[in-house]
C-alpha cells in the first residue's frame, strides 16, 4: 500500500509525543493501524499499546482493521516470497477465521488494547475495586433518579419533555469539566438549584453503590491521585498511548491520559481541531491547540491530502473554515482532483426547498446512485420532520439514527386537524374543547356541555357577556372560510388569519420552549396538504399515517436508504452525494450562538457536514421562513469567495440557482 510522505512520517514515528493533524478524508485510521504495526515491528510488545477512541463503534472498527492488517503481516511471515508471487493482495478474513488461522500465533490483534475512555477506565476500576456492570446506572434508572430529585427540590420540568435528557448532559458536562461545583455555571438551572441537585444525585448514587459513565473517569482520576503505586502499575502496562479524534477530548479525560503517559510521554494523538463540535458534551478544542505547549518537544505532522472529496468541495469547505481564528492553519489538497459539484439553491420558502430536495434525490436515484450513498444533513433533528413525511408518502427508502415520531400525533397537528373537522361538521366536543381557546376566545368548559358546534347555545350562555357575540361570530366565519378552502390554504388560514401561530408563539414564551420544532411540524403538514386538496381525504391519510410510518420504518431497517441525520450525527461518515437543508441565519449558525467561540463551533459543524460529500454537495437556503424574510447563512457566504474579497453574496452568483414559483 502506498502512503503519502506525511502519512509515512506519522506511521514511522516511534517515541516522544506527537500530534497528527488529520483533516477530513486524510486516512487517519489507516495511519493509526499501520503505526501500531510499525511499533510491533520495532520490537514494542503489543500489550504495551493502548488505543483510545470516543465511541464503541470506532473502537471495534479500529480493532477489526488492525486485526486484518496483522493477519496480512503474519501471512507474509509464513509464506515469505510466495505471498507476493501467489497472493499479491490483502486477504480478507472474518473474525472467526482470524481465530482459526493465526489467532494462536502471537495474536497481536488480541493483545493490543482498544477501547473508549469509559471502557478502559472502568476496566481499571474493575481490577482495583472489583466493580461489575451491575454497578453502572442504566439510562432508565438515571432518568427515574433525576425525576425524583427534581420533584423533591421543586424544580419544574413539566414544560419540556426533554428536560431530563438535557439535565443528564449538563451533569456530564460538569463532571468532564474538571471544575469545582462552586465554579460551574449551569445553562439549565440557577447555581443554587444545580448545586443541590448534584449533591443529592451523588449521595444517592453512593448509597446504592452505583456510578454513571462520567464517574468512571472521576473515580479513576481520584484513584491515580490517591494511590501512586496503582498509577505506576498502569503506566508500566501502557507505554504507548494512541488517541483518536483527540479534538473531542474533555479536560478530565486529558488529565488522566497525561498521567498515564508519564514518564515516557509516548503519546500519539490524531485529530482535527476544525472538526471539534462537541462542546455541549464537555470537549474543549483549546486542549489540542495547546498540546505543543504542554509537550514542547512534540512533533507536529500534517496530513494535508484529502482522499475523499473532489476539489470543488474541498475548496469550498476550506474557504468556510478559514474564517475561524482559533485554529491551526492548513492547506488541504484534493487528491481526487476536479470533477465534483458544490451547488447552492435559493428557494422562496421551506416548502419549495424540501420539494426541490426530494426532486433532486429522485433524479439521483434514477441515475443509479445507491440510496445509502445519499445523505440529507440538517442542523437539528426537528428540521427533518417535513422531509420524513414526504419520504414516507413517496415511498422513498430512508434511514435515520433517531426514532421517527409521527408528526400527526403532535399537539400542533392535532389542533389543526380539530379545526378542519369542525369546519367540515364532523368535529366532536373533544375537538371543540381542544381549540376553542387557541387563540384565546374566553370560552369556558362549562359553556360546552353538549355538541361542540352548537353555537346557538353558546350565544345564549354568553348573552350577558359584552363582546362575546362578536368573538363567536368571528369563530363561525373562520370555520366557514376554512371549509371553503383547499387543505393547504386552510392550514395557512388557521395559522395566520385565525391567529393560531400567534398563540403558539405566546405558548412557547410562557413555557420556555423553542419554536423551531413547531415550525418544522407546520412545514410537514403544509407539504403533505399540498398533495391532497380534499380536506376529508387528507384527514383520512393523517389518521392512517402512523401505520404507514411503522411499515416504512420496518422496511427501511431491513433495507438501505437515503441517510437522514444531523451535522453531528454525520461525523466520521462519507457519502457520494450530500444535501444540506435550511442553511439560513438563525439555524446555521443556531440563533443561540452569540459568542465568538460559539460561532466558531457552529462553523466547524457546518464544515464537518460539507466534508462528508465525496462527489456532490447541494446546499439549500430560503428567502422566507415562516412568513418572515431571512438570509443565507454567513457560512455559505464564507465559501463563495476568499475572506478578503467577499463583498456580499449577491455579487458571487454563478453557482446559485434561483427557483421561483410558477
Amino acid at each position: 500500500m502506498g502512503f503519502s510522505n506525511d502519512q509515512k512520517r506519522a506511521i514511522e514515528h516511534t517515541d516522544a509525543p506527537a500530534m497528527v493533524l488529520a483533516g477530513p478524508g486524510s486516512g487517519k485510521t489507516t495511519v493509526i493501524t499501520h503505526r501500531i504495526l510499525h511499533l510491533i515491528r520495532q520490537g514494542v510488545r503489543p500489550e504495551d499499546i493502548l488505543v483510545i477512541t470516543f465511541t464503541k463503534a470506532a473502537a471495534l472498527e479500529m480493532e477489526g482493521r488492525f486485526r486484518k492488517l496483522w493477519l496480512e503481516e503474519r501471512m507474509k511471515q509464513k509464506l515469505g516470497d510466495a505471498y507476493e508471487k501467489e497472493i499479491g493482495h490483502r486477504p480478507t478474513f472474518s473474525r472467526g477465521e482470524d481465530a482459526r488461522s493465526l489467532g494462536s500465533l502471537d495474536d497481536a490483534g488480541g493483545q493490543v488494547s482498544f477501547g473508549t475512555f469509559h471502557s478502559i477506565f472502568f476496566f481499571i476500576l474493575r481490577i482495583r475495586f472489583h466493580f461489575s456492570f451491575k454497578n453502572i446506572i442504566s439510562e432508565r434508572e438515571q432518568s427515574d433518579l433525576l425525576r425524583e430529585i427534581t420533584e423533591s427540590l421543586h424544580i419544574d420540568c413539566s414544560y419540556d419533555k426533554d428536560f431530563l435528557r438535557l439535565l443528564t448532559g449538563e451533569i456530564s458536562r460538569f463532571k468532564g469539566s474538571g471544575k469545582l461545583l462552586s465554579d460551574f455555571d449551569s445553562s439549565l438551572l440557577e447555581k443554587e438549584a444545580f448545586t443541590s441537585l448534584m449533591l443529592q444525585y451523588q449521595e444517592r448514587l453512593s448509597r446504592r453503590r452505583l456510578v454513571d459513565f462520567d464517574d468512571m473517569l472521576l473515580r479513576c482520576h481520584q484513584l491515580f491521585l490517591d494511590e501512586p503505586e496503582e498509577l505506576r502499575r498502569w503506566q508500566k502496562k501502557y507505554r504507548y498511548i494512541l488517541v483518536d479524534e483527540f479534538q473531542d477530548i474533555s479536560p478530565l479525560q486529558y488529565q488522566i491520559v497525561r498521567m498515564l503517559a508519564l514518564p515516557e510521554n509516548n503519546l500519539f494523538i490524531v485529530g482535527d481541531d476544525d472538526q471539534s463540535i462537541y462542546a455541549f458534551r464537555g470537549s474543549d478544542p483549546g486542549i489540542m491547540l495547546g498540546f505543543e505547549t504542554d509537550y514542547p518537544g512534540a512533533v507536529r505532522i500534517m496530513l494535508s491530502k484529502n482522499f475523499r472529496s473532489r476539489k470543488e468541495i474541498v475548496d469550498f469547505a476550506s474557504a468556510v473554515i478559514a474564517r475561524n481564528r482559533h485554529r491551526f492553519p492548513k492547506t488541504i489538497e484534493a487528491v481526487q482532483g476536479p470533477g465534483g459539484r458544490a451547488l447552492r439553491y435559493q428557494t422562496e420558502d421551506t416548502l419549495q426547498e424540501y420539494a426541490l430536495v426530494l426532486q433532486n434525490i429522485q433524479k439521483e436515484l434514477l441515475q443509479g446512485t445507491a440510496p445509502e450513498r445519499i445523505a440529507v444533513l440538517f442542523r437539528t433533528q426537528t428540521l427533518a420532520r417535513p422531509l420524513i413525511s414526504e419520504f414516507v408518502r413517496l415511498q422513498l427508502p430512508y434511514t435515520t439514527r433517531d426514532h421517527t415520531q409521527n408528526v400527526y400525533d403532535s399537539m400542533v397537528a392535532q389542533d389543526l386537524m380539530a379545526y378542519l373537522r369542525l369546519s367540515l361538521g364532523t368535529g366532536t366536543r373533544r375537538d371543540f374543547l381542544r381549540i376553542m381557546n387557541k387563540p384565546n376566545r374566553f370560552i369556558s368548559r362549562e359553556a360546552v356541555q353538549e355538541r361542540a358546534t352548537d353555537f346557538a347555545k353558546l350565544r345564549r350562555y354568553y348573552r350577558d357577556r359584552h363582546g362575546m357575540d362578536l368573538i363567536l361570530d368571528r369563530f363561525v366565519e373562520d370555520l366557514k372560510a376554512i371549509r371553503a378552502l383547499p387543505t393547504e390554504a386552510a392550514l395557512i388560514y388557521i395559522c395566520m388569519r385565525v391567529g393560531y401561530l400567534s398563540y403558539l408563539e405566546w405558548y412557547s414564551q410562557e413555557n420556555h420552549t423553542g419554536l423551531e420544532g413547531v415550525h418544522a411540524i407546520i412545514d410537514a403538514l403544509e407539504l403533505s396538504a399540498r398533495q391532497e386538496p380534499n380536506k376529508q381525504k387528507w384527514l383520512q391519510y393523517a389518521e392512517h399515517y402512523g401505520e404507514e410510518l411503522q411499515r416504512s420504518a420496518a422496511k427501511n431497517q431491513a433495507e438501505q436508504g437515503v441517510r437522514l441525520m444531523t451535522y453531528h450525527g454525520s461525523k466520521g461518515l462519507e457519502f457520494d452525494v450530500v444535501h444540506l437543508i435550511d442553511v439560513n441565519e438563525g439555524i446555521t449558525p443556531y440563533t443561540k450562538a452569540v459568542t465568538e467561540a460559539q460561532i466558531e463551533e457552529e462553523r466547524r459543524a457546518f464544515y464537518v457536514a460539507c466534508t462528508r460529500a465525496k462527489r456532490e454537495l447541494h446546499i439549500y437556503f430560503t428567502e422566507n421562513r415562516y412568513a418572515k424574510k431571512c438570509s443565507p447563512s454567513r457560512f455559505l457566504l464564507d465559501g463563495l469567495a476568499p475572506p478578503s474579497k467577499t463583498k456580499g453574496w449577491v455579487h458571487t452568483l454563478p453557482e446559485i440557482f434561483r427557483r421561483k414559483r410558477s
Side-chain angles (χ1 to χ4, degrees):
M1 178 177 185
F3 301 106
S4 69
N5 291 333
D6 293 331
Q7 286 180 321
K8 187 176 180 182
R9 184 180 169 211
I11 290 168
E12 294 179 353
H13 177 81
T14 304
D15 296 331
M19 175 175 65
V20 179
L21 297 176
S26 60
K28 66 178 180 64
T29 303
T30 297
V31 165
I32 293 173
T33 53
H34 278 81
R35 181 172 183 264
I36 299 170
L37 181 61
H38 178 76
L39 288 172
I40 296 171
R41 285 172 172 170
Q42 298 302 306
V44 177
R45 298 186 309 166
E47 58 266 32
D48 289 344
I49 303 172
L50 171 64
V51 183
I52 307 176
T53 66
F54 279 84
T55 67
K56 184 178 180 180
L60 290 172
E61 181 189 5
M62 193 82 70
E63 182 180 4
R65 290 179 63 170
F66 175 70
R67 280 180 174 269
K68 290 179 179 180
L69 190 61
W70 176 249
L71 286 171
E72 180 184 10
E73 179 75 5
R74 299 296 293 155
M75 290 288 287
K76 287 180 179 179
Q77 292 177 10
K78 288 179 66 177
L79 299 178
D81 294 339
Y83 176 82
E84 298 292 340
K85 293 178 181 179
E86 298 181 18
I87 299 181
H89 65 276
R90 178 177 298 180
T92 301
F93 298 96
S94 69
R95 181 160 293 198
E97 291 171 330
D98 291 355
R100 289 193 300 270
S101 58
L102 298 169
S104 62
L105 300 176
D106 298 324
D107 182 13
Q111 296 176 45
V112 177
S113 296
F114 297 85
T116 64
F117 281 96
H118 293 100
S119 66
I120 290 165
F121 297 149
F122 185 66
F123 173 71
I124 293 173
L125 295 176
R126 288 178 65 186
I127 300 297
R128 176 61 182 86
F129 298 113
H130 307 292
F131 278 1
S132 72
F133 291 105
K134 294 180 180 180
N135 297 107
I136 303 175
I137 191 170
S138 68
E139 290 186 14
R140 176 73 176 271
E141 290 173 323
Q142 189 179 34
S143 180
D144 291 342
L145 178 59
L146 289 174
R147 186 176 288 106
E148 293 173 9
I149 296 172
T150 53
E151 289 177 358
S152 70
L153 295 175
H154 305 292
I155 296 172
D156 182 18
C157 56
S158 60
Y159 62 85
D160 189 349
K161 64 180 181 180
D162 293 327
F163 181 83
L164 293 179
R165 177 181 59 81
L166 296 172
L167 187 57
T168 301
E170 191 80 339
I171 292 171
S172 179
R173 190 167 71 88
F174 160 66
K175 291 185 175 182
S177 70
K179 294 182 178 180
L180 296 173
L181 189 55
S182 58
D183 296 331
F184 182 80
D185 293 318
S186 169
S187 60
L188 293 177
L189 299 172
E190 298 292 335
K191 184 179 287 289
E192 184 178 347
F194 186 76
T195 299
S196 299
L197 181 141
M198 280 301 308
L199 292 174
Q200 282 205 34
Y201 176 69
Q202 289 301 129
E203 189 274 330
R204 297 192 189 195
L205 284 181
S206 179
R207 192 193 312 161
R208 302 178 191 183
R209 204 167 181 267
L210 292 173
V211 295
D212 61 24
F213 281 98
D214 297 289
D215 285 332
M216 299 177 193
L217 276 64
L218 287 167
R219 294 286 295 270
C220 194
H221 182 244
Q222 195 62 49
L223 170 65
F224 289 167
L225 290 174
D226 295 341
E227 301 185 24
E229 285 299 321
E230 188 71 16
L231 172 60
R232 280 192 285 272
R233 173 188 177 185
W234 293 102
Q235 288 171 336
K236 290 178 182 178
K237 176 172 176 56
Y238 298 132
R239 294 182 51 240
Y240 291 85
I241 301 176
L242 296 82
V243 183
D244 187 25
E245 302 287 3
F246 187 80
Q247 74 279 348
D248 296 329
I249 201 166
S250 72
L252 180 60
Q253 291 166 340
Y254 185 47
Q255 290 177 35
I256 301 173
V257 168
R258 293 196 70 185
M259 295 170 76
L260 272 177
L262 290 170
E264 297 174 78
N265 288 328
N266 291 324
L267 183 58
F268 185 86
I269 69 166
V270 182
D272 182 10
D273 57 300
D274 289 334
Q275 298 187 69
S276 178
I277 60 175
Y278 294 120
F280 63 93
R281 294 182 186 173
S283 66
D284 182 358
I287 294 174
M288 189 167 192
L289 294 173
F291 185 79
E292 291 166 309
T293 301
D294 295 334
Y295 296 95
V299 175
R300 184 199 297 190
I301 303 170
M302 169 70 74
L303 303 185
S304 58
K305 295 184 183 296
N306 183 309
F307 296 91
R308 174 188 300 157
S309 306
R310 289 288 184 178
K311 184 177 186 302
E312 293 82 358
I313 297 168
V314 171
D315 288 351
F316 173 80
S318 297
V320 170
I321 201 62
R323 292 300 188 98
N324 274 6
R325 294 198 305 158
H326 302 94
R327 61 186 292 266
F328 291 113
K330 307 176 185 71
T331 300
I332 306 298
E333 175 190 352
V335 175
Q336 298 291 333
R341 297 197 300 172
L343 303 178
R344 277 96 45 189
Y345 305 86
Q346 179 174 333
T347 59
E348 188 173 311
D349 55 30
T350 53
L351 300 185
Q352 190 183 82
E353 175 191 16
Y354 299 152
L356 180 57
V357 172
L358 289 160
Q359 177 184 317
N360 285 339
I361 290 175
Q362 287 175 308
K363 287 181 181 178
E364 290 154 7
L365 294 173
L366 288 173
Q367 291 168 356
T369 304
E372 65 272 17
R373 301 311 305 160
I374 303 171
V376 181
L377 307 183
F378 29 82
R379 175 60 182 82
T380 61
Q381 184 64 35
T382 55
L383 297 172
R385 279 177 164 168
L387 277 176
I388 290 174
S389 297
E390 286 301 285
F391 268 93
V392 173
R393 184 183 69 81
L394 296 170
Q395 296 185 346
L396 293 174
Y398 75 93
T399 59
T400 178
R401 289 184 172 181
D402 300 291
H403 172 69
T404 303
Q405 295 180 331
N406 184 351
V407 67
Y408 298 99
D409 285 342
S410 66
M411 178 195 79
V412 174
Q414 290 294 316
D415 288 347
L416 292 174
M417 289 191 292
Y419 265 109
L420 294 185
R421 285 191 290 268
L422 288 169
S423 75
L424 295 170
T426 60
T428 63
R429 178 175 181 270
R430 182 178 180 181
D431 287 326
F432 190 86
L433 290 171
R434 185 177 190 95
I435 55 88
M436 65 184 185
N437 287 313
K438 297 178 181 180
N440 196 1
R441 300 182 178 93
F442 310 100
I443 302 173
S444 69
R445 292 181 68 90
E446 289 77 12
V448 188
Q449 298 296 330
E450 299 181 24
R451 287 180 57 86
T453 55
D454 194 344
F455 282 92
K457 289 185 177 181
L458 279 175
R459 286 190 176 93
R460 287 196 297 272
Y461 185 89
Y462 285 111
R463 60 181 176 271
D464 298 326
R465 185 82 60 87
H466 179 70
M468 283 299 295
D469 55 338
L470 297 176
I471 291 174
L472 293 173
D473 287 346
R474 173 65 187 271
F475 198 172
V476 172
E477 290 302 314
D478 283 336
L479 291 176
K480 288 180 179 179
I482 295 167
R483 181 185 180 91
L485 294 170
T487 313
E488 182 188 9
L491 296 180
I492 295 172
Y493 184 95
I494 297 167
C495 289
M496 306 307 296
R497 295 290 298 275
V498 174
Y500 181 68
L501 188 57
S502 297
Y503 161 78
L504 291 175
E505 291 172 350
W506 168 85
Y507 180 87
S508 69
Q509 291 176 356
E510 287 293 307
N511 294 280
H512 310 285
T513 59
L515 276 172
E516 184 180 271
V518 168
H519 287 151
I521 292 171
I522 293 174
D523 277 349
L525 298 176
E526 290 184 10
L527 194 59
S528 69
R530 183 173 296 178
Q531 315 302 326
E532 180 50 77
N534 185 290
K535 291 189 290 293
Q536 190 61 54
K537 290 183 178 179
W538 185 79
L539 286 168
Q540 291 173 356
Y541 171 77
E543 183 180 348
H544 298 289
Y545 176 80
E547 300 171 8
E548 192 170 344
L549 182 63
Q550 288 182 346
R551 287 195 298 270
S552 175
K555 179 182 178 182
N556 291 326
Q557 284 180 354
E559 300 179 2
Q560 295 293 326
V562 177
R563 303 293 296 275
L564 310 181
M565 60 182 64
T566 63
Y567 292 176
H568 292 80
S570 72
K571 192 167 178 288
L573 304 176
E574 61 181 40
F575 306 93
D576 290 342
V577 184
V578 170
H579 299 265
L580 306 185
I581 65 171
D582 298 313
V583 186
N584 283 89
E585 282 291 308
I587 297 176
T588 303
Y590 194 45
T591 186
K592 293 183 179 180
V594 292
T595 67
E596 183 181 18
Q598 290 169 335
I599 294 295
E600 291 206 347
E601 171 131 345
E602 290 284 306
R603 186 178 281 110
R604 290 194 294 267
F606 182 69
Y607 174 75
V608 166
C610 292
T611 54
R612 301 310 93 193
K614 298 173 66 177
R615 175 166 51 86
E616 293 187 14
L617 174 65
H618 301 263
I619 303 174
Y620 305 79
F621 57 98
T622 63
E623 292 179 334
N624 302 280
R625 193 170 183 83
Y626 316 125
K628 296 180 180 178
K629 286 286 184 181
C630 53
S631 58
S633 167
R634 71 190 74 179
F635 304 154
L636 177 57
L637 310 185
D638 292 344
L640 292 176
S644 62
K645 297 182 180 180
T646 299
K647 298 178 181 179
W649 80 276
V650 295
H651 301 296
T652 53
L653 288 176
E655 294 185 63
I656 295 182
F657 299 86
R658 298 176 62 85
R659 298 178 62 93
K660 295 287 188 180
R661 290 183 181 179
S662 58

